[in-house]
């Protein structure tokens, strides 16, 4: 049995510096660090608006194009027709098209129907109707041209949206509970903390040159609905026996090719100290994070070197100036954190969580959704870290009418457990790093599995995460069934396919601790074989599971013999 319990390890002791500013000085040790010191990217917006939008794609400076544009949510997308076998052999300029993916930043996932309608309009006018919900609560558009960016920013910012630091070596979107401020069982509304962090520090020049991306999450809901274990910094609501409601502090999580689950520092953070604590962790990353090698330039590698005790001490001594009190861990969640279905709000109205297939929506459907929500007496909705949407403030007598209208848009409030648990990254359709298609294959698999498993009662949602490359944007190591895109050999022929990861998961009602999935040597499936493999392994799970103990898929997958998993 081969188990993927790989943890991010700190670089081995070496005479070579790691590029830690407070230890090694600020002399840049690679080309990426050189251009960031010259211009970290915040100022490139002026060039986009006043130079590149007028001169077109050919006028863009290469360093701006491949580096600084990201700070404003812009990545060049993959040129159509380049197969996955050439991803690693071509240069960026050979892979890229003259169009962009644009990431709209949505901190806390909070949207109004007015904002949704503006995103829909941009999609239809400038993005060939594309729109995808991400597992970071953002919305991504494609086919965007640099000439359109001044008008796109004007429209977004007119309704309080933007793309500032949506990508790049900066503080990315702050994940927040999709039911913040409205759930009847919420411990605390984290919205004030999210608002203060974003108002003070997004676009702040002192944090615009980090070693790499910096991911944050805050939740006040007992379902732990923000995948806190895989963020660089996270705050999870907890009821301290002496100090009341506040947050349990986590640091150092992240996946990609060297997965590492975050760790508790054992510190209790009161609501009024969240922003300063967040800022302290971000500054530790800026000042002590590794910069020499980009594949080691995440906070998880620093935590692996320091450990939690030293990390907390440095945070308190060098950045806060006071000690944080010890605190208890948050209790195990009792409900699913995706919020799918119909739930009563604290004010007596209802919120409804809905599932598209693998996060794929469209501009026209987003516009129809805005109309539908308003027709049912609401103007608010939320995106989630699970590629889903939550509609807020629905009167009880309008629930069924809304659900019927949502079904017509392909948004199910009562999805199959397979549809509910499936997410997929962008894949080879648009992503320059991808090796395999994801959205189309995952969609076909969901539809096929709904037919094949009709009438079979699954004991709980089974998460199926489909990723187009090893970088784990779709969180393959923390899924019941995670599929990592690669070229695989099937019957002697090399074809697009996936390596299989089994039994991973984050906080949920079916596990005591988060866990990374296991791999079985040689277990790979062709890209068009997702449904066949998933059906086979799910049926074997149902046959073998210990129903008396309510054994979950993940528990079974970790104890099962390899022959049961192939």
């Amino acid at each position: 049995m081969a188990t993927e319990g790989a943890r991010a390890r700190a670089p081995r002791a070496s005479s070579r510096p790691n590029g830690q500013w407070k230890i090694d000085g600020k002399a840049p040790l690679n080309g990426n660090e050189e251009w960031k010191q010259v211009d970290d990217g915040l100022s490139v917006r002026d060039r986009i608006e006043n130079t590149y939008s007028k001169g077109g794609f050919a006028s863009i400076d290469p360093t701006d194009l491949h580096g600084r544009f990201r700070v404003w949510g812009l990545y060049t997308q993959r040129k159509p027709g380049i197969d996955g076998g050439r991803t690693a052999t071509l240069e960026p300029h050979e892979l890229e098209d003259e169009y962009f993916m644009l990431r709209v930043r949505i901190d806390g996932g909070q949207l109004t129907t007015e904002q949704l309608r503006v995103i829909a309009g941009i999609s239809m006018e400038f993005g060939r109707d594309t729109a995808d919900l991400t597992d970071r609560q953002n919305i991504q558009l494609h086919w965007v041209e640099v000439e359109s960016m001044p008008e796109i920013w004007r429209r977004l910012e007119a309704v309080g949206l933007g793309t500032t630091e949506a990508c790049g070596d900066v503080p990315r979107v702050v994940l927040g509970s999709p039911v913040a401020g409205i759930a009847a069982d919420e411990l605390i509304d984290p919205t004030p903390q999210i608002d203060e962090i974003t108002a003070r520090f997004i676009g702040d020049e002192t944090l615009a040159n980090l070693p790499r991306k910096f991911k944050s999450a805050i939740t006040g809901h007992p379902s732990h609905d923000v995948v806190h274990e895989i963020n660089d910094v996270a705050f999870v609501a907890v009821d301290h026996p002496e100090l009341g409601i506040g947050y349990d502090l986590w640091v150092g999580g992240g996946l990609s090719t060297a997965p590492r689950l975050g760790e508790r520092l054992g510190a209790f953070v009161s609501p009024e100290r969240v922003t300063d604590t967040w800022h302290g962790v971000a500054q530790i990353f800026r000042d002590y994070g590794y910069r020499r090698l980009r594949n080691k330039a995440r906070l998880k590698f620093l935590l692996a070197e320091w450990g939690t005790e030293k990390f907390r001490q440095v945070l308190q001594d060098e950045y806060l100036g006071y000690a944080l009190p010890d605190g208890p861990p948050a209790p195990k969640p009792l409900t699913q954190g995706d919020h799918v279905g119909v739930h009563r709000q604290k004010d007596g109205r209802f919120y409804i969580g809905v599932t598209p297939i693998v996060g794929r929506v469209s501009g026209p459907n987003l516009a129809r959704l805005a109309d539908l929500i308003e027709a049912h007496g609401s103007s608010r909705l939320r995106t989630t870290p699970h590629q889903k949407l939550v509609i807020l403030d629905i009167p009880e007598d309008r629930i069924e009418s809304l659900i019927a209208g949502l079904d017509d848009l392909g948004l199910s409030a009562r999805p199959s457990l397979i549809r509910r648990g499936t997410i997929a990254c962008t894949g080879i359709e648009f992503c320059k790093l991808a090796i395999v298609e994801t959205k189309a294959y995952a969609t076909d698999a969901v539809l096929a599995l709904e037919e094949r498993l009709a009438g079979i009662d699954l004991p709980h949602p089974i998460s199926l995460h489909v990723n187009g490359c090893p970088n784990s944007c779709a969180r393959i190591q923390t899924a019941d069934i995670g599929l990592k895109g690669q070229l695989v050999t099937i019957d002697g022929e090399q074809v697009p396919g996936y390596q299989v990861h089994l039994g991973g998961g984050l906080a949920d009602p079916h596990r005591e601790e988060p866990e990374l999935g296991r791999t079985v040597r040689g277990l790979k499936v062709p890209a068009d074989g997702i449904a066949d493999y998933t059906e086979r392994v799910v049926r074997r799970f149902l046959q073998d599971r210990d129903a008396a103990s309510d054994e979950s898929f993940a528990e079974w997958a970790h104890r099962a013999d390899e022959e049961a998993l192939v």
Side-chain angles (χ1 to χ4, degrees), residues 385-400:
H386 303 278
Q387 296 185 342
K388 294 171 176 55
L389 291 167
V390 179
I391 317 303
L392 311 186
D393 305 331
I394 301 301
E396 187 169 9
D397 62 353
R398 309 300 304 278
I399 291 172
E400 293 305 322

Side-chain angles (χ1 to χ4, degrees), residues 492-565:
E493 181 182 358
Q494 194 174 63
V495 297
Y498 309 96
Q499 181 187 49
V500 181
H501 298 244
L502 294 166
L506 302 177
D508 69 34
H510 308 290
R511 67 175 63 247
E512 292 299 325
E513 298 289 341
E515 189 171 19
L516 299 174
R518 66 180 282 196
T519 58
V520 175
R521 187 180 303 277
L523 177 52
K524 298 176 174 63
V525 298
D528 58 0
I530 298 176
D532 292 339
Y533 175 74
T534 302
E535 179 187 11
R536 187 164 66 248
V537 75
V538 166
R539 288 186 182 275
R540 184 62 184 264
F541 158 63
L542 295 173
Q543 172 188 314
D544 292 354
R545 76 182 288 257
D546 181 1
S549 66
D550 195 27
E551 186 176 35
S552 69
F553 181 93
E555 290 170 328
W556 169 79
H558 276 285
R559 73 163 176 84
D561 294 335
E562 289 189 359
E563 63 85 18
L565 303 176

Side-chain angles (χ1 to χ4, degrees), residues 371-378 392-395 397-403 405:
D371 293 341
L372 180 67
I373 294 171
E374 290 177 354
H376 286 79
S378 176
L392 311 186
D393 305 331
I394 301 301
D397 62 353
R398 309 300 304 278
I399 291 172
E400 293 305 322
S401 172
L402 176 62
I403 288 175

Side-chain angles (χ1 to χ4, degrees), residues 71-86:
V71 176
W72 290 94
L74 289 160
Y75 282 90
T76 51
Q77 68 187 40
R78 189 185 191 94
K79 190 178 297 182
I82 300 176
D83 65 68
R86 302 176 68 196

Side-chain angles (χ1 to χ4, degrees), residues 327-357:
K332 170 185 171 181
L334 300 177
T335 58
Q336 290 292 129
D338 61 6
H339 302 298
V340 169
V342 179
H343 309 268
R344 186 180 293 274
Q345 298 179 182
K346 62 178 65 176
D347 64 2
R349 292 179 292 179
F350 289 80
Y351 65 89
I352 302 174
V354 297
T355 304
I357 299 182

Side-chain angles (χ1 to χ4, degrees), residues 104-106 110-111 115-116 119 153 156-157 159-163:
V104 180
R105 181 180 181 130
I106 308 172
Q110 301 196 18
L111 281 173
Q115 291 172 325
L116 186 66
I119 294 172
W153 278 323
L156 289 172
E157 290 166 0
V159 293
L161 291 173
T163 69

